Every structure is written in structure tokens, then in C-alpha cells.
Amino acid sequence: MIDPMARFFADREAARAASDPMAAVCVLATVDSDGLPQVRTLVLRDIPEGLAIYINASSPKWQQSQQQVAIQVWLPSIQIKYRIQARCEPLTAEHIAESWQLRPDVPKQMDWLYEQRPQSSVVSSRDDLLNLLENINPPVPLVAPEGARGLLLLPERIERLDLNQANGVHDRTRYVLDTGRWLERTLIP
């Protein structure tokens, strides 16, 4: 039996080796308070515990991601797609404080802006947004704000679709976590 997470990490590594820009991201799917589906592209991080996404607490996706999410990872360089349903657990404040320091400067500044104006809130223009960003006063030394958060993704269901079949019939496999062990099923693509 193949461990689907080991296979996922190996496939992402092969895509990274092929300089695939999609190897760093996932498409996150949630449902909003009105029951409407919401999707957005996020950076998907490998951490020692598994997979993580980082989200600001002011973002609508933070509340939508508290219980369970679905992500899709498409690796065009190797023609493999994953769909993963996962439970979510908040990452510790210590983890966030440490990993936040590795972020580029502009996302750090944006996190501090979110402390004043929530992510996805309306501004009158892009110039106003840039002005707001220019006039934030983050602390020195620069540390993660209260709203910087992250989620550990705990996969419970994984589908892998491999389009690289010589006969043209895609290889589609579903893995379901059942009492700590992965059950594998072949699906009609």
C-alpha cells in the first residue's frame, strides 16, 4: 500500500525539480456563511507536521477554514492533480511567530495593515490602498501581528489523477483515512 502523502510530497518534489510554479500553491475551497462556494489560490507550505496554509484572521477565509477545507493541487509539469479534503488545526503562536519572520517584506506589511483594515474590505482606489500601506507603523523590531494565523491541514481523503498514461486512460485513485490507515480505491476517471 502506497502512503498517499508520501506520494504527494514526491510528486511535488518532481514538479519543483521541473521548475513548475504551481508546485508552490494550492487552490483552497471553502463555503461562506451564505452557503456559497469560495475558492482562492494560496501558498501551500511543507512543515514538519505535514501541510500548512497561512491566513490572516481578518480574512473571510479564516472563519470558513476552521473545521474542514478542500484543496486542489495541479502540477502541469508532470500532469498530476490532487484533490484533498482535510480537517484543520490552528498552528501554535510560536510556530506563527517563527515562520512569519521568513515572509517577504510586503506580505508582512500587509499583515500589519490588516490590523487596521480587514482583508477584503473596500477601499476607494488602489492609490488609497498604497497610501494606507505606506502609512502603517508596525513595531520595531518587526514581529507577527495578532491576526497572523495558520492552519495545519490533516488530510482525510485524497484523490490523485495521473494524466501520464500511454494508453490515454487516466489513472485515478482515491485514498480514505480510516482509523489511522489509508484505504485505496481505483476510480473510473
Side-chain angles (χ1 to χ4, degrees):
M1 167 62 148
I2 295 173
D3 174 358
M5 288 306 295
R7 194 169 200 188
F8 175 79
F9 288 121
D11 285 340
R12 275 184 85 198
E13 193 53 44
R16 286 182 184 117
S19 300
D20 190 332
M22 298 303 290
V25 299
C26 69
V27 176
L28 173 72
T30 60
V31 177
D32 70 14
S33 60
D34 294 325
L36 298 172
Q38 302 294 319
V39 295
R40 71 284 281 162
T41 303
L42 298 176
V43 174
L44 181 62
R45 303 279 185 201
D46 297 344
I47 62 172
E49 300 85 355
L51 297 171
I53 54 175
Y54 296 94
I55 303 172
N56 191 280
S58 74
S59 170
K61 63 185 164 281
W62 176 252
Q63 288 305 318
Q64 297 165 12
S65 301
Q66 292 304 297
Q67 307 260 327
Q68 190 167 31
V69 298
I71 63 170
Q72 178 173 292
V73 176
W74 167 235
L75 305 169
S77 63
I78 60 171
Q79 295 291 291
I80 293 176
K81 177 182 80 171
Y82 281 88
R83 292 189 319 166
I84 300 174
Q85 293 175 330
R87 285 183 304 107
C88 302
E89 288 183 2
L91 293 169
T92 65
E94 295 80 18
H95 175 97
I96 297 299
E98 184 178 317
S99 66
W100 191 85
Q101 294 300 328
L102 303 174
R103 298 189 77 193
D105 289 340
V106 172
K108 287 179 183 177
Q109 292 172 331
M110 291 301 298
D111 268 340
W112 276 99
L113 176 61
Y114 302 148
E115 295 294 302
Q116 299 169 18
R117 301 284 287 273
Q119 189 175 9
S120 301
S121 60
V122 176
V123 292
S124 59
S125 69
R126 179 155 177 85
D127 287 339
D128 285 346
L129 169 62
L130 296 175
N131 187 47
L132 284 169
L133 190 57
E134 188 175 305
N135 289 303
I136 62 168
N137 292 312
V140 177
L142 193 57
V143 295
E146 172 82 19
R149 306 281 171 86
L151 294 168
L152 174 64
L153 304 181
L154 301 165
E156 296 181 327
R157 186 181 186 108
I158 299 171
E159 282 192 19
R160 181 181 188 271
L161 179 67
D162 185 343
L163 305 178
N164 289 306
Q165 303 305 307
N167 63 5
V169 179
H170 306 324
D171 182 18
R172 184 175 172 203
T173 308
R174 177 187 298 146
Y175 304 90
V176 177
L177 190 61
D178 182 23
T179 59
R181 140 175 192 266
W182 288 103
L183 304 177
E184 179 179 346
R185 300 286 184 260
T186 300
L187 303 177
I188 296 174

